[in-house]
Amino acid sequence: MSEGTPLPVVALISGGGSNLQALIDAQLQGRPIQLRAVISNQAGAFGLERARRHGIPTEVLSHRDYPDRDAFDSDLSALIDRHEPGLVVLAGFMRILTPAFVNRYLGRMLNIHPSLLPKFRGLHTHQRALDAGEREHGASVHFVTAELDGGPVIAQARVPVLAGDDAETLAARVLRQEHILYPTAVHWFARGRLRLDTDGRPRLDGEILTEPRRIEMDQGS
């Protein structure tokens, strides 16, 4: 993207949309992104209200109205493409995507996952980290591929696992870091600093990322 042209973004959500709010805030603060639409598979998702409050178009496409994933993903991609995004962001979109859908947006679709990937792919990451006796936990931003939570990791934020933590307190600590981590990675992509090579390797500022970029934050917060 040129310096003066914001990157058009479509966000997919299923729930409260706190990471969506972080992206909205980044846009309001002058980051070079333009949220063209927020799409949810859940009509009651509070993230839709977050978008409406800021004049961002919203769409609902319920997976319950479709016989299978392929049919849903086909209509979802058509809905996304109407908004002509340069980037699709998954912000708590609780759907397993079909390979055809993922390949359509390969290299221009990001996800944020609440663990230090490749550890704890899937759900219930905070409890699983506690059960495993981890001393450190966190969040990862990655390019989306057909492998669930298995795409190339771009950046991570880490937090300590504290004595007395339960899944709720640990989740809250991680979430605060997600709200910094995700807009940072989206900003890199918007400025043309981040891309996915044709061989599937992420590249930042011209350098291949052999390991995720660690975003340094207040680790106790």
Side-chain angles (χ1 to χ4, degrees), residues 38-70:
V38 174
I39 302 172
S40 178
N41 64 317
Q42 302 285 354
F46 182 66
L48 294 170
E49 177 61 24
R50 294 181 189 271
R52 293 180 190 119
R53 289 175 182 175
H54 295 279
I56 301 167
T58 62
E59 309 269 8
V60 175
L61 191 69
S62 175
H63 60 279
R64 298 179 181 87
D65 296 335
Y66 291 84
D68 53 44
R69 292 184 187 277
D70 288 324

Side-chain angles (χ1 to χ4, degrees), residues 64-161:
R64 298 179 181 87
D65 296 335
Y66 291 84
D68 53 44
R69 292 184 187 277
D70 288 324
F72 174 75
D73 281 5
S74 177
D75 277 7
L76 178 60
S77 63
L79 185 56
I80 291 169
D81 290 349
R82 289 215 308 259
H83 299 281
E84 301 181 332
L87 180 68
V88 177
V89 295
L90 308 183
F93 189 60
M94 304 304 290
R95 294 284 300 167
I96 295 175
L97 300 168
T98 59
F101 181 92
V102 171
N103 288 333
R104 187 183 189 91
Y105 302 105
L106 189 64
R108 55 192 184 104
M109 182 159 59
L110 300 180
N111 182 46
I112 188 161
H113 182 72
S115 80
L116 297 174
L117 292 171
K119 292 182 177 181
F120 311 122
R121 297 177 184 180
L123 301 176
H124 311 300
T125 60
H126 309 300
Q127 188 60 55
R128 289 160 63 197
L130 291 169
D131 292 344
E134 296 290 320
R135 299 179 63 184
E136 196 172 44
H137 190 41
S140 306
V141 176
H142 64 95
F143 281 105
V144 178
T145 65
E147 183 182 3
L148 179 64
D149 299 327
V153 180
I154 300 156
Q156 293 179 326
R158 298 168 180 262
V159 302
V161 178

Side-chain angles (χ1 to χ4, degrees), residues 171-216:
R173 190 176 308 115
V174 171
L175 190 60
R176 286 193 291 271
Q177 308 297 14
E178 290 181 40
H179 296 164
I180 302 169
L181 180 65
Y182 212 6
T184 298
V186 171
H187 180 253
W188 290 344
F189 190 93
R191 276 289 166 253
R193 297 174 55 192
L194 173 67
R195 72 174 190 267
L196 186 67
D197 282 354
T198 55
D199 62 3
R201 293 185 296 180
R203 190 178 290 267
L204 180 63
D205 294 332
E207 300 289 334
I208 293 171
L209 287 171
T210 57
E211 60 183 28
R213 181 66 57 89
R214 181 165 176 169
I215 305 299
E216 298 295 339

